[in-house]
Amino acid sequence: MEIANDSAVKKPKRLTSVVWNHFERVRKADICYAVCIHCNKKLSGSSNSGTTHLRNHLMRCLKRSSTIDVSQLLAAKRRKKDTSLSLTSISFDEGQRKDDYIKPTILKFEQDQKKDEIVNLGSSKFDQERSRLDLARMIILHGYPLAMVDHVGFKVFVKNLQPMFEVVPNGAVEQACMEIYGKEKLKVYETISKLHGRINLCVEMWSSPENLEYLCLTAHYIDEDWKLQKKILNFLTLDSSHTEDMLSEVINKCLMDWDVDCKLFALTFDDCSTDDDIVKRIKEQISQKRPLLSNGQLFDVRSAAHVLTSIVQDAMEALREVTQKVRGSIKYVRSSQVIQGKFNEIAQQDGINSKKNLLLDCPIRWNSSYLMLETALEYRGAFSLLQEQDPSYTSALTDTEWEWVSSVTRYLKLFVEITNVFSSNKCPTANMYFPEICDVHIQLIEWCKSPDNFLSSMALKMKAKFDKYWSKCSLALAVAVILDPRFKMKLVEYYYSQIYGSTALDRIKEVSDGIKELFNAYSICSTMVDQGSALPGSSLPSTSNDTRDRLRGFDKFLHETSLSQNAISDLDKYLEEPVFPRNCDFNILNWWKVHMPRYPILSMMARDVLGTPMSTVAPELAFSTGGRVLDNCRSSLNADTLQALICTQDWMRMESRDFNPSSSLSALPLLIESN
């Protein structure tokens, strides 16, 4: 109820509300006005009007000084409502009574945040700079578009919530995000540089709707508290000039920028199709500074989930025409209520008691194709009878085709179960993969023996792809499971006898020699560290780049001669002791943490081996046959901003214990799927 401006005459009267500190009470004739001292607007000032309208105006007054805190007015309003005590003695410089004070909520974006960076909803002072950074953190953490600050709705919301906050433009928010990225990157760099163990690097390729390509590098490691950690180090936009053979140069540069080229244990790529020359060039570059462990036998790892998906795609491609018939059959049954009702009657007459409804699959989600085929099989008899009774039904399958569907569905069931094991584990240490992959190996051997030419030829193609993966990763898988105290060498012996038959002993010896060679490398490293020949935190002694080390073989000689003087090594002691009982609550990282004093060298090796990422697929993409694709909002950003937002979001989420990442897609808030 604003009133036109007229001349003012003061009315001397004691005013009890704090709101009168911002209004001047005047009288004209028989009417009292309240004149805002900030904008000179006149409102009703009579005693019958109260002060609510004055307080509301003050909250919206754009010319009010930024030093005035609206929370004081709101607090005064609450006290007036909740108690009959007089507010005469309350001023802006006086604190609230303890019994009237509502404890403010404290929000933290990070565990080690400084006190002056903590957002305190009960703070008595507004801070524009702090709010600007809080806005940037919110955008980073939740993956909101930078352009949201230009949205009218957002501006109105913020203005009503805190009129003193000046909404910053898109460019300023981007700058704030880059500032936060710089600070967070330094913290991550310091964390990694202080690690006593090695790190593993996961290499993933992304694309965009505009066919741009991106390279994502993620570090995986087990920290000093034996917790499995992962951090995205780089998310690089690859321009059109980048060829595949240049990928090794890009990766090497990132390794050197983070100073982890000398701390690298293994490199995990998406699948076996990655050019071996890329890995070779990376290994050569790293070896110039520091020799790889076990001559790099465990360095090149390929994603287990990717190879399973690739094998499944071979099976689905072989069954493509039959699958199309199944889709056509289901579409026909669901095309009208009349046909659906007739089909239900036929199913009931045929004694089919399945409670599952026929469903169509999503072709790029292979688990949905499995469910479609599995359900269709339960209604096989009904489809056969429908063909006899309905001449319009033309998508019927032959008996042979139904047998193919039955066999392939059994294959897919195994892959679904194993993929669920991979994707559901919240702490996917490297030891969990060996038994699952061995089961696949054994089944592929059996499927290749099928008397049906269609099934055997399909299985042979699947096994050829699997064999390529197995040749690269079998030793890494075996070493990891040996370091599981529930299995040790026994599980390798159990599976290899089924896989290799008469040659199993030779294969088992290869694994035994491999883990001993790796352990010896760590023993040499431990000896050099004890003698002060290696820097703290390094995993192996460094070699000179400019002069030849004439005593390079002495370290190995010293270690081997020392072994003869020791009764038993860590590894021998570990392998000779009984296996640990299997139970569902077993935590392998806790076990090694507890047993570090007993196996000081072996535990150092176990930390690096168990931290190797044997699979690179996020849980929500485990069954996808499409690729990783950025959404349009992210792909439109410039390269530096894109990397800053994705990396910082990942780091902030990892540090925020209260944040629930299940509402978004893994560490990256951005996916749509492609064919």
Side-chain angles (χ1 to χ4, degrees), residues 339-406:
I339 299 177
Q340 179 76 66
K342 183 178 180 180
F343 183 81
N344 291 340
E345 291 178 4
I346 293 174
Q348 190 173 9
Q349 293 170 5
D350 196 47
I352 299 174
N353 298 318
S354 176
K355 296 181 180 180
K356 297 180 181 178
N357 294 322
L358 292 173
L359 49 86
L360 289 170
D361 66 336
C362 174
I364 63 172
R365 304 285 297 182
W366 63 266
N367 60 328
S368 70
S369 299
Y370 159 73
L371 293 174
M372 179 186 72
L373 297 175
E374 183 187 49
T375 304
L377 276 171
E378 297 187 17
Y379 290 92
R380 173 179 175 177
F383 280 116
S384 298
L385 292 175
L386 181 65
Q387 180 186 12
E388 298 174 2
Q389 300 179 22
D390 189 347
S392 299
Y393 172 47
T394 58
S395 301
L397 281 70
T398 65
D399 289 341
T400 300
E401 288 173 334
W402 277 117
E403 290 302 318
W404 290 347
V405 171
S406 178

Side-chain angles (χ1 to χ4, degrees), residues 203 269-275 301-303 306-307 310 616:
V203 182
F269 284 89
D270 280 350
D271 53 49
C272 294
S273 63
T274 303
D275 192 346
V301 178
R302 305 303 166 98
S303 171
H306 271 88
V307 74
S310 182
T616 63

Side-chain angles (χ1 to χ4, degrees), residues 633-659:
C633 177
R634 294 285 178 156
S635 61
S636 63
L637 298 170
N638 70 64
D640 291 339
T641 303
L642 176 63
Q643 176 170 248
L645 291 177
I646 289 177
C647 292
T648 312
Q649 181 193 53
D650 175 66
W651 303 335
M652 290 173 65
R653 287 184 176 183
M654 292 301 104
E655 291 193 13
S656 178
R657 302 303 182 191
D658 297 328
F659 185 81

Side-chain angles (χ1 to χ4, degrees), residues 308-351:
L308 293 186
T309 298
S310 182
I311 289 172
V312 167
Q313 285 181 284
D314 287 341
M316 296 305 300
E317 177 59 27
L319 199 67
R320 180 170 54 85
E321 293 183 3
V322 178
T323 304
Q324 289 284 26
K325 283 189 174 183
V326 173
R327 288 194 191 102
S329 298
I330 296 174
K331 287 180 180 178
Y332 180 76
V333 170
R334 296 175 57 180
S335 62
S336 72
Q337 292 183 352
V338 174
I339 299 177
Q340 179 76 66
K342 183 178 180 180
F343 183 81
N344 291 340
E345 291 178 4
I346 293 174
Q348 190 173 9
Q349 293 170 5
D350 196 47

Side-chain angles (χ1 to χ4, degrees), residues 44 65 114 130 173 387 466 496 531-532 540 573 593 636 644 664 675:
S44 174
S65 170
K114 295 179 180 179
R130 186 186 65 193
V173 173
Q387 180 186 12
F466 177 86
Y496 273 31
Q531 293 176 352
L540 279 177
K573 180 167 56 179
K593 180 180 179 180
S636 63
S664 60
N675 292 317

Side-chain angles (χ1 to χ4, degrees), residues 204-206 305-306 309 364-367 419 423 616-629 665-666 668 671-674:
E204 300 170 293
M205 299 304 297
W206 287 68
H306 271 88
T309 298
I364 63 172
R365 304 285 297 182
W366 63 266
N367 60 328
T419 303
S423 60
T616 63
V617 179
E620 55 280 345
L621 292 179
F623 296 101
S624 173
T625 58
R628 305 182 188 88
V629 185
L665 296 171
S666 185
L668 301 177
L671 305 199
I672 57 176
E673 291 180 332
S674 69

